[in-house]
Amino acid sequence: MERQQGMNEKVKNLGKLLRERRAYHGWTLSEVSSMTGIAMSTLSKVENGHISPNFDTILKLSHGLGVEIGDLLNSSPSEPTPPLVVARRSISRNFEGQALDRQYYSYSYLSSDVAHKRIIPIHIEVRALTPDQMGPLTAHVGEEFLLVLKGKVRLYSEYYEPTDLDEGDSVYLDSTMKHGYMSLEVPSSSIIVCCSSATPNLAQTLREIIKEQIISEKRNPDETAG
């Protein structure tokens, strides 16, 4: 009985994750069907928790949506936390982490050896010196805390006037509000951004946004030449 209840809970959580991912990217069921090769009727039943997907379906979802299989199967925040998780820790030396580089930004995802974190710490070197180099404002799920480590940055956000932040200044903001930042000092400024959300796969979602920006910059180099 308990095993059946646990399985039902996993099915509901998988459906919730699929709905949230579709809503965030603005995908239709038809688009997800094309991405995964799964029939729309099956996707609808998975989203609503009406069927328990087999491994083949889970594999297609994983590949099509860019989500790890483990995250699909263990996406519930209500599941008991293994005792070993309590003792997790990770040390990043001198901002060392998983690196992603754009034309005017360099990102280092700190503590990248710890999976399923609720807080995603990122060290960012900001080389964008103009709004054109900064590019369009972006938004994502959750909230974030920004601290200026070196230099001076100008923070742009959807509902507020641009704000200048000096070394030691910080800001806490709703990440669903479009935002961006550029350096006011040459050649660059350095910031720490900590993103947080109850949504699973936040780190992967953030990396996907950056990778899309990298692809866009390569396709349209003149637009970011500034």
Side-chain angles (χ1 to χ4, degrees):
M1 183 66 177
E2 291 183 0
R3 183 177 180 181
Q4 182 62 40
Q5 289 176 340
M7 182 59 67
N8 291 339
E9 191 65 25
K10 285 183 180 291
V11 170
K12 291 180 181 178
N13 293 329
L14 177 56
K16 182 174 182 291
L17 183 147
L18 179 55
R19 284 196 306 274
E20 289 178 346
R21 202 150 184 87
R22 271 209 313 119
Y24 172 74
H25 289 285
W27 293 330
T28 64
L29 276 175
S30 177
E31 289 172 328
V32 175
S33 177
S34 298
M35 294 161 60
T36 60
I38 302 172
M40 285 192 292
S41 58
T42 301
L43 290 170
S44 178
K45 291 176 182 177
V46 170
E47 280 196 1
N48 292 288
H50 293 161
I51 63 170
S52 177
N54 57 31
F55 183 75
D56 182 58
T57 299
I58 292 174
L59 193 62
K60 289 179 179 179
L61 284 171
S62 172
H63 289 168
L65 301 181
V67 179
E68 294 181 8
I69 292 179
D71 291 335
L72 285 173
L73 297 176
N74 298 283
S75 58
S76 171
S78 62
E79 290 184 358
T81 303
L84 288 177
V85 174
V86 177
R88 294 192 305 176
R89 82 168 201 174
S90 174
I91 297 175
S92 296
R93 304 287 187 186
N94 195 28
F95 305 123
E96 182 181 14
Q98 184 176 14
L100 283 174
D101 291 315
R102 292 176 55 196
Q103 187 171 2
Y104 296 107
Y105 298 87
S106 291
Y107 304 82
S108 181
Y109 281 76
L110 308 178
S111 301
S112 56
D113 55 326
V114 178
H116 314 303
K117 298 186 295 292
R118 290 301 180 92
I119 298 175
I120 312 301
I122 314 168
H123 174 255
I124 306 175
E125 181 189 357
V126 184
R127 297 185 298 279
L129 301 174
T130 67
D132 285 341
Q133 291 178 351
M134 179 181 66
L137 303 183
T138 58
H140 53 83
V141 295
E143 303 168 326
E144 65 187 75
F145 173 80
L146 181 155
L147 171 66
V148 180
L149 297 178
K150 183 187 72 173
K152 185 174 183 177
V153 302
R154 177 164 294 164
L155 172 69
Y156 292 83
S157 52
E158 190 173 4
Y159 302 114
Y160 296 89
E161 291 296 319
T163 302
D164 294 348
L165 301 171
D166 292 306
E167 287 185 21
D169 290 348
S170 62
V171 61
Y172 189 96
L173 58 88
D174 180 354
S175 304
T176 59
M177 173 176 59
K178 291 182 180 179
H179 56 283
Y181 29 80
M182 71 181 199
S183 177
L184 295 177
E185 289 196 4
V186 179
S188 66
S189 294
S190 175
I191 62 176
I192 283 284
V193 173
C194 295
C195 299
S196 176
S197 173
T199 303
N201 310 303
L202 176 61
Q204 186 167 345
T205 297
L206 296 174
R207 287 194 294 268
E208 286 176 358
I209 292 173
I210 296 172
K211 289 176 181 178
E212 288 173 1
Q213 292 169 331
I214 292 173
I215 293 172
S216 177
E217 289 174 351
K218 289 181 178 179
R219 288 176 177 170
N220 307 288
D222 293 339
E223 293 183 8
T224 56

